[in-house]
Amino acid sequence: QVQLVESGGGLVQPGGSLRLSCAASGYPLDNHAVAWFRQAPGKEREGVSCIGSSASGTSYADSVKGRFTISRDKPKNTVYLQMNSLKPEDTAAYYCATDQAYGSRWDFPQSFGFWGQGTQVTVSS
């Protein structure tokens, strides 16, 4: 049974940092692309970042480039999202996803088959 568990969310002031974790069980993340999405109230789920399988690179939404960094820890079967210089507009529930359909866009939620339950990030003074 595949399970993705996000953690690391919380309340942070503008300009602060958080590191989100996506830990997997029953599924080798290193062999698959893993993406982070976010969804704010009343808005559609949007792609934030994606890390390809093995050494196939990373992608970022324009809104987070230079501030967010995605990485993976193979022994821990975990993918991280380091978020720096956080802004109020980064406030959302953040989800990790994997099992990307071959040839699909990383920033389309429908491209991914397995999802975590989400972790809330609130950026506010």
Side-chain angles (χ1 to χ4, degrees), residues 10-24:
L11 173 64
V12 63
Q13 293 187 341
S17 298
L18 285 173
R19 188 179 77 159
L20 305 184
S21 299
C22 172

Side-chain angles (χ1 to χ4, degrees), residues 4-114:
L4 301 178
V5 179
E6 301 97 333
S7 61
L11 173 64
V12 63
Q13 293 187 341
S17 298
L18 285 173
R19 188 179 77 159
L20 305 184
S21 299
C22 172
S25 59
Y27 196 83
L29 290 183
D30 192 55
N31 296 338
H32 301 275
V34 179
W36 285 96
F37 288 79
R38 66 186 181 186
Q39 188 167 20
K43 294 188 176 181
E44 294 186 352
R45 192 167 294 192
E46 63 172 347
V48 174
S49 182
C50 184
I51 188 165
S53 60
S54 300
S56 58
T58 57
S59 300
Y60 296 93
D62 287 344
S63 59
V64 306
K65 279 180 182 175
R67 300 189 298 123
F68 291 10
T69 303
I70 192 170
S71 62
R72 61 167 85 239
D73 185 327
K74 181 179 178 180
K76 294 184 177 180
N77 204 27
T78 298
V79 169
Y80 301 101
L81 185 69
Q82 178 67 43
M83 305 187 298
N84 299 329
S85 303
L86 283 162
K87 305 175 181 180
E89 51 263 43
D90 295 317
T91 295
Y94 283 71
Y95 302 87
C96 64
T98 191
D99 188 35
Q100 183 183 12
Y102 181 78
S104 66
R105 286 184 54 155
W106 73 266
D107 55 344
F108 281 8
Q110 58 266 39
S111 298
F112 294 86
F114 298 140

